[in-house]
Amino acid sequence: MKACVTPDEDAGREGHGGHAGQGGHGGQAGREGHGGQAAPDGHGTAGHGHGTARHGRASRRGGRSPRLRPHPFGLRTRLVLAFLLVAAVGCGTTATLTYRAARNAILEQTQDTAVSAFREQVDALGIDLPVDPDSLRDSLMRIAGQGKPRAWRVYAEYGTLRVSSTDRPTSSVITPELRARAADDEALPHGSFQRVVKNGTPYLTIAVPAVFLARSPEGPPQRTGLVFYAVMELAEEEANIEAMVMAARDGALPALAVALIPALIAARGVLRPVRELRHAAHSMGRGRLDTRIHAKGSDELADLARTFNESAAELERSVSELRNAEARARRFASDVSHELRTPLAGMLAVTEVLDEDAGSLDSDTARAVRLISAETGKLAVLVEDLMEISRFDARAAELHTDEVDAADCVRKTLQHRYWTDPAQVVPYLTEGIRARLDPRRFDVVVANLVGNALRHGEAPVTVRLWVEGDQLVTEVADRGPGIHPDVLPHVFDRFYKADQARTRSAGSGLGLAITLENVRLHGGTVTAANAPEGGAVFTVRMPL
């Protein structure tokens, strides 16, 4: 077991930041030492206080895109169903029109043949008036045997006389409507017909009145009062029509099955650029801004692909410019910090000598010497903070974890900075908590938060430590007025000032940003809030 180490001398500086809502920046009360930069094995992102570098027990998130759930009624299904629906409607419409046309053609051909043949045979009869029933019956039997296109039953009506070619004098198939048309004096005497369904059997009924020429062949024919009727079954024609319906139905299903093939081909052609667009969008979401779609053709999907490529190219150019500018800014801050470090070390040595001799100087000179010493110390703090931030931005920060006693680490942090007065800092530490931490970085986190609370809050500051599940929780709370709600989202931003009119603060403005980076490096989180009874509360959660 390894005890918590004591930070170097630089980590003992008192915090220079503050709660942003109380007029300060986030200062740094404790920083890591001045050692060289570590190998860049972390995982961080450059930016304003949002970089991340993880090592050891730090959690890592892969760049794998989220797996999309299959949609049971997705675009492919809708396209195929729409194509099949159109094909089904087309097949149904075509079959219906074909059925109607064929049915009418078959029935019209049969009825035209039958009507013409029956009229010719009636006209060829020689009827003597008054009508002789036996002679009339012989004529009906002769006509019945000459039915076209098939045999029919023939009936004759003359006043109350009823004669037929069958054993029944009348037929129930002949309707009153047909008799009325046949007896109508204003109707043409060429005859009438009607299709009737009786007990499920279709029939064609024909009525032709017997006429004679009164004076001359050129004159109008005159009715004799004798009407001939023919009744023919249409079962054969209906059977042919039913066969056509069955053939159309049996052909529709294979047609739909065949239509499924071009439907799938068409859906694939439509969905291919959509899938490419989806994969390209996921790829760009993972950071591959050079992703492009192969656009071919001149349809709307090709235009969409070209628009996507143009947008992606513009986005890549803009992001590249921003990254270059950010890299230049980070390099500038890092270079300046390194260049200032050596002369600052000499200046600090000189100011220490001047501080020792300030008592022997006159009051004005001594005041000036102490002012120079204080400002030089602030400049050294700023340079050290900039170097620390540059290490995070360069992804060079790394963890050196060890199993330590968390409560002992917090106590050493407070003792090293002389925060042992109960009127100033009150610790509530759960003993016996073993956690795998980087002791030096954990010291920086606790020192920054406590120093920040002392400078910009009100005493006493409470420091609590406990375990919650598989996490180590550290809470630092003060008794000040708290942080303004508009400022809370920005307290961990670099160089953020709640009061923009202030051009100068006591700290570097990087302390809370460095705290955030160190906590993230451990795979944890840090949040800022206001307690219900007043005061700011900072809560750090790290995995054990």
Side-chain angles (χ1 to χ4, degrees):
M1 180 182 72
K2 183 176 181 180
C4 184
V5 300
T6 301
D8 58 18
E9 194 63 29
D10 283 340
R13 299 181 186 273
E14 187 176 342
H16 298 283
H19 297 328
Q22 301 167 1
H25 303 315
Q28 179 181 3
R31 295 164 306 281
E32 60 180 319
H34 305 309
Q37 294 188 357
D41 62 345
H43 297 273
T45 52
H48 300 290
H50 302 287
T52 306
R54 301 186 180 180
H55 184 72
R57 291 175 60 87
S59 62
R60 300 172 182 263
R61 293 186 179 181
R64 188 177 304 171
S65 62
R67 185 172 182 177
L68 299 178
R69 294 181 300 175
H71 298 284
F73 202 68
L75 183 58
R76 177 193 294 274
T77 305
R78 293 198 297 269
L79 286 174
V80 172
L81 290 179
F83 197 97
L84 292 179
L85 178 61
V86 172
V89 171
C91 291
T93 303
T94 303
T96 302
L97 295 177
T98 303
Y99 165 75
R100 292 181 60 184
R103 182 176 184 273
N104 292 335
I106 292 174
L107 294 178
E108 287 177 0
Q109 181 181 4
T110 300
Q111 71 190 20
D112 290 345
T113 302
V115 170
S116 299
F118 188 61
R119 184 186 300 118
E120 292 175 357
Q121 294 181 33
V122 170
D123 291 341
L125 289 177
I127 304 297
D128 296 328
L129 297 178
V131 176
D132 179 38
D134 295 333
S135 176
L136 181 59
R137 180 177 177 81
D138 292 339
S139 299
L140 295 182
M141 293 298 292
R142 186 170 58 254
I143 295 175
Q146 299 175 358
K148 292 182 180 180
R150 66 182 60 86
W152 51 37
R153 298 190 296 273
V154 184
Y155 301 86
E157 296 181 359
Y158 182 72
T160 60
L161 178 63
R162 301 291 185 267
V163 182
S164 73
S165 62
T166 66
D167 54 355
R168 300 179 60 184
T170 61
S171 174
S172 60
V173 178
I174 302 174
T175 63
E177 291 81 7
L178 183 62
R179 288 190 172 95
R181 286 203 300 267
D184 188 0
D185 293 336
E186 296 182 357
L188 294 176
H190 300 298
S192 303
F193 67 90
Q194 185 180 27
R195 289 198 294 268
V196 180
V197 177
K198 185 72 172 180
N199 298 326
T201 303
Y203 295 92
L204 173 65
T205 58
I206 308 171
V208 176
V211 297
F212 66 94
L213 298 178
R215 296 178 180 175
S216 64
E218 290 81 8
Q222 301 295 320
R223 295 177 181 270
T224 62
L226 176 61
V227 180
F228 292 90
Y229 296 94
V231 177
M232 177 188 296
E233 291 187 5
L234 298 177
E236 184 176 342
E237 284 75 12
E238 286 296 328
N240 293 336
I241 293 173
E242 289 296 330
M244 291 179 56
V245 173
M246 295 293 293
R249 186 188 65 183
D250 295 341
L253 296 179
L256 290 178
V258 173
L260 182 62
I261 298 176
L264 293 175
I265 296 175
R268 181 181 180 185
V270 172
L271 290 179
R272 183 186 299 110
V274 175
R275 286 196 300 268
E276 291 178 357
L277 181 62
R278 183 190 66 185
H279 294 323
H282 283 309
S283 180
M284 292 190 65
R286 295 194 298 268
R288 296 182 56 186
L289 300 182
D290 58 342
T291 303
R292 298 294 183 271
I293 301 176
H294 178 62
K296 59 180 180 180
S298 58
D299 55 4
E300 291 81 358
L301 293 175
D303 293 339
L304 177 61
R306 295 187 185 95
T307 302
F308 177 87
N309 291 338
E310 293 172 359
S311 302
E314 184 64 22
L315 178 62
E316 182 182 17
R317 185 188 63 79
S318 301
V319 171
S320 179
E321 292 178 356
L322 290 175
R323 287 176 176 173
N324 292 335
E326 190 176 20
R328 288 194 297 269
R330 291 198 306 267
R331 188 165 53 252
F332 174 78
S334 178
D335 293 344
V336 169
S337 301
H338 282 83
E339 292 298 327
L340 290 177
R341 190 174 186 182
T342 300
L344 274 176
M347 293 174 64
L348 287 173
V350 172
T351 55
E352 289 177 0
V353 174
L354 293 176
D355 283 339
E356 294 176 357
D357 297 337
S360 61
L361 302 175
D362 59 88
S363 59
D364 292 338
T365 303
R367 190 180 308 109
V369 167
R370 292 189 179 93
L371 178 62
I372 292 174
S373 178
E375 294 300 323
T376 303
K378 293 180 181 179
L379 182 59
V381 170
L382 176 60
V383 169
E384 290 299 327
D385 287 349
L386 287 173
M387 291 185 64
E388 176 69 2
I389 284 293
S390 68
R391 280 192 285 269
F392 284 112
D393 290 343
R395 304 180 183 181
E398 62 179 1
L399 283 177
H400 298 284
T401 60
D402 201 352
E403 186 176 342
V404 297
D405 188 313
D408 186 53
C409 283
V410 174
R411 272 192 297 268
K412 287 183 179 296
T413 298
L414 300 180
Q415 292 171 2
H416 183 76
R417 290 160 179 82
Y418 306 103
W419 293 332
T420 56
D421 185 359
Q424 295 293 320
V425 180
V426 181
Y428 297 96
L429 310 177
T430 302
E431 301 294 338
I433 299 177
R434 308 298 302 175
R436 193 162 192 83
L437 305 170
D438 186 327
R440 180 168 57 86
R441 294 188 182 277
F442 186 63
D443 173 81
V444 171
V445 170
V446 175
N448 278 350
L449 295 179
V450 175
N452 203 59
L454 287 172
R455 180 171 294 276
H456 299 284
E458 293 182 6
V461 174
T462 58
V463 181
R464 293 181 171 85
L465 183 75
W466 73 92
V467 173
E468 189 175 285
D470 59 348
Q471 290 184 327
L472 175 68
V473 183
T474 308
E475 181 184 274
V476 177
D478 60 50
R479 298 297 183 269
I483 306 174
H484 194 278
D486 295 338
V487 179
L488 271 175
H490 307 286
V491 293
F492 296 104
D493 292 352
R494 303 177 185 182
F495 300 110
Y496 180 78
K497 295 181 180 180
D499 185 3
Q500 298 297 329
R502 295 186 59 184
T503 58
R504 183 91 184 273
S505 65
S508 66
L510 296 173
L512 291 181
I514 292 175
T515 297
L516 175 64
E517 298 295 344
N518 280 315
V519 173
R520 285 181 171 176
L521 199 62
H522 283 84
T525 60
V526 56
T527 58
N530 291 317
E533 62 275 9
V537 180
F538 287 82
T539 306
V540 177
R541 298 178 183 272
M542 295 181 180
L544 290 173

